[in-house]
Amino acid sequence: MQTAPTSAATSSGAPLTLDDLFRRTVLRQPDAIALIDPPNKHRVTGTQPQKLTFAQADQAVSAIAARFVEAGLPPGSIIALQMPNTVEFALTVLAALRAGLVAALLPQLWRQSELTGALNRIGARAIVGVSRIEIVDHAELALNAAVEAFSIRHVFGFGNDLPEGMSPLEITTSGMNGWLPPAAPDARRPAIVTFDVTADGLRAIPRNHLQLISGGLAIFLEAGLPQGARLLSAIAPASFAGCVSSVVTWLLSGGSLALHHPADLQVLEQQIVDERHDTLIAPALLAIRLAESGTLARPQVAIRNVVGLWRTPDRVMASEDWQDTGTTLTDVYLFGEAGLFAARRLSDGSPVPIKPGSFSAPRGAASSKAIGEIIVTPKATLALRGTMVPVAAYRPAPGESLVETAAPDYVDTGYAAHLDRTTGAIGITAPPVGLVGVGGYRFLAQDLESWAKRLAAGAMLTALPDQLNGFRLAGRAGDNRRAREALGQLGLNPLMVDAFRDRSSGT
């Protein structure tokens, strides 16, 4: 039976921070492999892939944290990160926390319009990016966003040929012995900020170390991951779920974390087959496809645990049964940035019926840990409460609600839900009204209409159902090429711009 990987507090009685978890493993096994880059990193960022031990990663974290402190960033200030799924991301998050900062995670597809709005909303003092991701000049994006975000004082970047005005960061694996942070971090203070879109618009969602560890435990314990797990993560690191399913579960296990920059299926299959990972963390439908193709059943594959993330939780119960008997699949239900819960599939491969009330991990075990509670509201929607759920971040601001009432101690996810009278299980039937989810990105449906109207009379931008991503965007204009150029100039992300792609070739 799986037990909690660490105690909930340090020897002094203070609650654990993520850096505490990391330092414990550094002290216990400094020469063990900690972080592994994607093998195609050079194509993605122009830099060579790296494999770091815990001792080397600790040195790198201290070096980056020292740069932040030397730049004059005061403890508690917010530093924004827009980065690919490479070792630099995990190192920079840990470095920000070690320096007493708050790491704000920015989606990779956000462009200048969305970046500027988010940075101004949170009052970020600095932003960290990379020279490029694929063919996109992310250094220029960061600098342009910083110009319009009046709170930004520093722009940092990893990579080659950084432009003037961007302070270079690098991975230093020696020379930082004895460096101490300016102040001991407090696990109850905010550690990260992510962004959600609700019916009221964009919201910044802060979480402290305790909330992040609670989210990580919900996955780690339910999936039955071993201590020293060898994790392979194909999840983009720009959300609460992305952070806890990869970085936090890695810190809880004290094992290794190999990264895959989504989504090159050929490279992912190479990593699964050639590298000896025991746990795969991936979008659930991608994991199911890998099982159906026989990739996970190859003799040389060491994967035994699969953690599948569902950004469309209303589709879990209708999904195909897990057919790979050599592995276990744990479904992770994601509800925007509000929270998550996990349920390991039954022995026949079918999804576990979800019941209302408190849930623990692992489910049904005598010594399982209480994680949270699932509620069906009087409005027939699903709500969550528990340590990981940031209730205060979802309370209506003054003027947002016609009726100001005391906020309850749960967050309404907006997903339509009902109780089956025969089984008592919850049926999640539809996503929140007025919101469009495309992969990990959410939009207000009315925003799609307003952006289309800014192009030309008769232009349309709509969301169509999509089996893999929930929805996909499709646009129509008199001249699609000019529409793409206009949206790009407005600083919108590629999901909207590519909705107006040329379909004459059948693509």
Side-chain angles (χ1 to χ4, degrees), residues 73-108:
L73 293 173
S77 55
I78 297 176
I79 184 167
L81 281 61
Q82 188 182 41
M83 306 179 74
N85 199 25
T86 61
V87 299
E88 285 85 352
F89 169 76
L91 295 173
T92 305
V93 168
L94 290 172
L97 300 182
R98 187 169 291 184
L101 309 176
V102 180
L105 311 184
L106 303 174
Q108 183 184 310

Side-chain angles (χ1 to χ4, degrees), residues 375 377 383-385 389-392 394-396 405-412:
I375 304 162
T377 72
L384 300 175
R385 66 155 62 105
V389 181
V391 176
Y394 285 90
R395 286 177 180 155
T405 59
D409 62 345
Y410 60 81
V411 170
D412 189 338

Side-chain angles (χ1 to χ4, degrees), residues 241-276:
C243 183
V244 300
S245 65
S246 56
V247 174
V248 179
T249 53
W250 163 58
L251 296 174
L252 291 169
S253 77
S256 61
L257 175 62
L259 301 166
H260 170 78
H261 178 69
D264 188 321
L265 186 57
Q266 184 176 354
V267 172
L268 180 59
E269 290 181 344
Q270 173 193 335
Q271 291 178 274
I272 292 171
V273 173
D274 295 345
E275 302 171 9
R276 302 295 294 174

Side-chain angles (χ1 to χ4, degrees), residues 223 272 277-280 287 290-292 295-298 301-307 322-330 344-349:
I272 292 171
H277 308 299
D278 57 46
T279 302
L280 172 65
L290 288 170
E292 290 174 344
T295 300
L296 301 181
R298 296 181 189 179
V301 172
I303 299 291
R304 293 295 173 265
N305 310 292
V306 178
V307 177
W322 184 248
Q323 300 294 333
D324 190 334
T325 57
T327 61
T328 63
L329 172 63
T330 300
R344 197 191 313 190
R345 295 239 170 167
L346 299 172
S347 57
D348 63 359

Side-chain angles (χ1 to χ4, degrees), residues 96-294:
L97 300 182
R98 187 169 291 184
L101 309 176
V102 180
L105 311 184
L106 303 174
Q108 183 184 310
L109 289 186
W110 275 8
R111 298 297 183 254
Q112 190 168 338
S113 173
E114 292 146 315
L115 288 175
T116 301
L119 294 173
N120 280 323
R121 175 177 288 264
I122 61 177
R125 297 288 293 269
I127 183 171
V128 182
V130 294
S131 57
R132 68 174 176 87
I133 303 177
E134 305 283 358
I135 62 173
V136 178
D137 187 343
H138 273 259
E140 182 182 6
L141 285 177
L143 286 171
N144 289 340
V147 169
E148 297 187 21
F150 302 115
S151 60
I152 295 288
R153 296 293 179 267
H154 303 278
V155 181
F156 300 97
F158 290 94
N160 304 318
D161 303 320
L162 295 175
E164 184 178 351
M166 198 169 201
S167 302
L169 294 174
E170 59 183 358
I171 297 177
T172 301
T173 57
S174 62
M176 295 305 298
N177 293 326
W179 184 84
L180 295 175
D186 184 345
R188 296 182 179 86
R189 303 285 294 176
I192 71 166
V193 176
T194 57
F195 297 90
D196 201 358
V197 173
T198 70
D200 298 314
L202 182 71
R203 284 185 181 270
I205 312 296
R207 275 188 170 88
N208 60 32
H209 296 261
L210 301 179
Q211 292 170 314
L212 293 170
I213 291 174
S214 176
L217 285 172
I219 297 172
F220 184 91
L221 296 177
E222 178 63 18
L225 302 186
Q227 286 294 296
R230 302 184 304 278
L231 307 170
L232 170 58
S233 174
I235 297 296
S239 64
F240 167 63
C243 183
V244 300
S245 65
S246 56
V247 174
V248 179
T249 53
W250 163 58
L251 296 174
L252 291 169
S253 77
S256 61
L257 175 62
L259 301 166
H260 170 78
H261 178 69
D264 188 321
L265 186 57
Q266 184 176 354
V267 172
L268 180 59
E269 290 181 344
Q270 173 193 335
Q271 291 178 274
I272 292 171
V273 173
D274 295 345
E275 302 171 9
R276 302 295 294 174
H277 308 299
D278 57 46
T279 302
L280 172 65
I281 304 163
L285 287 172
L286 173 59
I288 290 174
R289 290 183 180 182
L290 288 170
E292 290 174 344
S293 69

